[in-house]
Amino acid sequence: MNNDAEIMETSEVPEHKKRRKLPVFLGMLAALLALALAASWVWIHHISNNNDAANMGLKNANGQVSSLQSRISNLNLQLDTTTQALKKERISNEVLAKENDSLRTLFPIYIKKLEVANADGSGKPISQYGRDIVAATSMYLLPQITYYGFKPGEMVELQVKLYNPNGNLVLGSESPKDGSCSYTFTINTVYPSDNVVGLKGWGGSDKGHFPAGTYRYEIWYNDMCFKAVTFKLK
């Protein structure tokens, strides 16, 4: 027997060393899997949060779009209403212009408004034109007209008639049989400028000259009633 032992080199790992490395490897693999799962969870959570934020942003954007659409609809409705109003006003102005052209050839003035005030003995109004008059303080019922003139410098004669609450003409000391009172004035500015003139009225210097009730003034020109208004004494 040869006592010189031959030493042989080998690459094989002893079995007990293999058994020690396997748990370490499995532990590292489990750690890597846990890390991968954690990273996946974080990523999924991140994506979920971003998705919720995106959905919320989309919902808010949709709400803003709906609000803007509603405002646009309201603006369009207002525009349509304004357009219709302007159209009606234009048509009215055209009609009024045609009427004025016709009136110019027939009459010297067009009475736009007739109002009444309570006045003292000097003819100074002691109440606002167009407002109700207190019967206890009534003195002279003074009419005032706002008119368009068509022929500047021309003299115009109007007849003024006053009716009491019973529907009867109020007669003055100088009234003709028809109960009217004449008033003559000269046209100043012409259409489309307004002219305002106070006419003759009825009454007396004593306060409470007229009883309470509803009265009526009429303005006549050449046997035609140009304007009428009813007013109250309370």
Side-chain angles (χ1 to χ4, degrees), residues 5 26 34-35 46 61 73 103 119 131 133-134 147 158 182 185-186:
L26 291 176
L35 183 61
H46 176 71
S73 297
L103 289 172
R131 298 293 181 86
I133 299 171
V134 179
Y147 71 94
L158 299 177
S182 296
F185 63 96
T186 303

Side-chain angles (χ1 to χ4, degrees), residues 74-148:
N74 290 334
L75 289 173
N76 286 333
L77 180 60
Q78 293 177 12
L79 179 60
D80 291 341
T81 302
T82 303
T83 302
Q84 292 296 326
L86 290 174
K87 184 178 180 180
K88 288 181 180 179
E89 183 178 0
R90 177 178 58 81
I91 294 174
S92 298
N93 289 335
E94 291 175 354
V95 172
L96 180 60
K98 291 180 181 178
E99 291 177 349
N100 286 336
D101 290 339
S102 300
L103 289 172
R104 288 188 185 97
T105 62
L106 298 174
F107 310 108
I109 65 170
Y110 166 73
I111 299 177
K112 180 180 177 182
K113 184 166 53 177
L114 171 59
E115 299 173 299
V116 182
N118 185 27
D120 60 19
S122 65
K124 179 181 178 180
I126 55 179
S127 70
Q128 293 184 354
Y129 281 100
R131 298 293 181 86
D132 289 340
I133 299 171
V134 179
T137 62
S138 63
M139 298 175 69
Y140 290 88
L141 301 179
L142 189 66
Q144 174 182 273
I145 61 171
T146 301
Y147 71 94
Y148 296 142

Side-chain angles (χ1 to χ4, degrees), residues 204-225:
S205 57
D206 55 319
K207 289 187 177 182
H209 186 82
F210 292 94
T214 300
Y215 293 75
R216 177 183 175 87
Y217 255 125
E218 293 180 351
I219 308 299
W220 290 67
Y221 174 78
N222 286 349
D223 298 326
M224 296 181 62
C225 184

